[in-house]
Amino acid sequence: MNEEILISGRMNPHIDPTLGIWGWEIPLYLFLGGLAAGILFFASLYTLLGREKELPTAVRKATFLVPIILIVGLGVLFLDLKNKLYFWQLYTTLRIESPMSWGAWTLMLITPLSMAWCLSYWRDLIPNWTWQVKYLEWIEEFVQKYRKAFAWVMIISSVILGIYTGILLSAFNARPLWNTSILGPLFLVSGLSTGAATIMWLSKEKMERTLFSKIDLLLIGIEVFFIIHLFMGFMASNAAQIEAAQLFLGGAYTLPFWGGVVLLGLVTPAILEVMELRGKHIPVALPALLILFGGLVFRFIMVDAGQISQYLY
């Protein structure tokens, strides 16, 4: 590949060859969105399967975190906006071909849904609670009456939210590292894994912890499969994507990605979970924290490295 020297004004900051526009807010938002989607997915799934009593943490307890997670995520997303007073314009139209439009409307739907879901289980948290506002009592009774219908809406919207966090990046075709269809499923599986790890960490029931440990092992295996095929696709593609892959195969992101994400965030917690399933005493917080750490670092690396990758030579 012949090196070319650019002498135009495009060498100015925030122009080619490095995008450098997205800071810490976007990867944190993508992580929180995936985590919320993962928790809601399992709450909805096991409600539809009729296992609410067997899995109280997955269906009830963990979901109380979701409105907080979503509010924080929306908060950091708001901080990233350049013209903050015009955020409402996202909700004046729905563009089917725009991942950002899908994300905005999905968040508009899933945030109040998660709040209503928690509201319906509030008396489980505080048995003697009495609502001072009749409207909230009506919401509680309505969700309890139509629990299955709510679960169907929530499971579909949680999958859309989880996969959107990856599609948001892959829609930027000008960045070769992001220009791959695997990012959507990969981010979805990563979000499900962080959700399963959170439920496993919060649960006090041995059966529930064991179940989600097994689920998480399966999700880690799928995630590793996607990562391997992500780089296989890059190395079999054009020169720009091969160059983007080199950032992780000897370049600046090699150690953070393979050491921080794959080794610490996937392989190590998988080994710890296998040891736990075989009867070894492993603090449940350790693999859970490593999975959450790996999921967070993964998004920071993908957002940062993607802005460096380019089609210019």
Side-chain angles (χ1 to χ4, degrees):
M1 185 182 300
N2 296 324
E3 182 179 356
E4 296 182 6
I5 300 175
L6 299 178
I7 58 174
S8 72
R10 296 185 69 85
M11 291 293 288
N12 292 333
H14 300 306
I15 312 293
D16 295 326
T18 301
L19 184 60
I21 297 296
W22 283 348
W24 61 270
E25 298 92 346
I26 296 300
L28 179 57
Y29 158 70
L30 297 178
F31 169 74
L32 293 173
L35 175 59
I39 294 173
L40 291 179
F41 175 85
F42 289 115
S44 308
L45 175 65
Y46 287 111
T47 296
L48 293 171
L49 293 176
R51 300 183 65 181
E52 299 97 325
K53 293 183 179 179
E54 296 175 58
L55 306 170
T57 305
V59 175
R60 298 194 298 271
K61 296 176 184 177
T63 57
F64 282 96
L65 294 175
V66 174
I68 300 170
I69 292 170
L70 289 174
I71 289 170
V72 173
L74 289 169
V76 297
L77 188 61
F78 182 77
L79 290 176
D80 180 71
L81 294 177
K82 180 68 175 177
N83 298 304
K84 295 178 174 57
L85 295 179
Y86 298 99
F87 77 92
W88 56 270
Q89 291 184 354
L90 278 168
Y91 299 102
T92 59
T93 184
L94 173 62
R95 297 183 60 185
I96 301 298
E97 74 281 5
S98 169
M100 196 166 290
S101 183
W102 273 94
W105 283 101
T106 301
L107 285 167
M108 174 68 81
L109 171 66
I110 206 167
T111 302
L113 273 179
S114 67
M115 292 177 178
W117 188 271
C118 294
L119 201 66
S120 68
Y121 283 118
W122 191 258
R123 293 182 200 267
D124 289 0
L125 191 66
I126 308 175
N128 298 322
W129 181 267
T130 54
W131 298 109
Q132 302 301 317
V133 181
K134 291 295 182 183
Y135 180 69
L136 296 178
E137 188 173 340
W138 178 84
I139 293 175
E140 178 188 28
E141 293 173 355
F142 183 81
V143 177
Q144 289 174 350
K145 184 177 180 181
Y146 298 102
R147 176 82 65 194
K148 298 284 187 181
F150 261 80
W152 274 113
V153 175
M154 215 160 66
I155 197 171
I156 293 170
S157 55
S158 65
V159 170
I160 294 173
L161 176 60
I163 205 167
Y164 141 77
T165 58
I167 291 177
L168 179 65
L169 299 183
S170 63
F172 286 86
N173 296 332
R175 297 293 147 183
L177 183 66
W178 296 341
N179 190 14
T180 169
S181 59
I182 290 184
L183 279 190
L186 176 56
F187 273 59
L188 172 61
V189 173
S190 177
L192 293 176
S193 178
T194 57
T198 303
I199 294 168
M200 179 179 66
W201 186 9
L202 294 175
S203 179
K204 304 298 182 184
E205 305 288 334
K206 181 174 176 56
M207 184 275 291
E208 189 173 31
R209 288 203 309 268
T210 301
L211 173 64
F212 277 93
S213 181
K214 292 177 179 178
I215 290 172
D216 202 46
L217 278 171
L218 175 62
L219 292 170
I220 288 172
I222 296 172
E223 198 171 344
V224 171
F225 173 84
F226 279 145
I227 288 172
I228 291 170
H229 281 73
L230 176 71
F231 286 98
M232 287 175 64
F234 283 152
M235 298 308 292
S237 188
N238 55 51
Q241 290 196 310
I242 294 173
E243 184 99 354
Q246 294 301 328
L247 292 169
F248 299 86
L249 303 173
Y253 295 93
T254 303
L255 182 58
F257 183 78
W258 298 105
V261 176
V262 176
L263 182 60
L264 280 179
L266 295 174
V267 176
T268 302
I271 292 171
L272 293 173
E273 287 175 353
V274 169
M275 291 172 63
E276 175 72 21
L277 291 173
R278 288 178 175 245
K280 303 291 185 182
H281 177 67
I282 304 294
V284 69
L286 184 56
L289 281 171
L290 287 174
I291 290 166
L292 292 169
F293 169 79
L296 180 62
V297 173
F298 170 64
R299 285 157 179 80
F300 269 88
I301 289 175
M302 289 303 294
V303 170
D304 197 49
Q307 295 179 90
I308 293 176
S309 66
Q310 56 180 310
Y311 281 104
L312 298 176
Y313 306 114

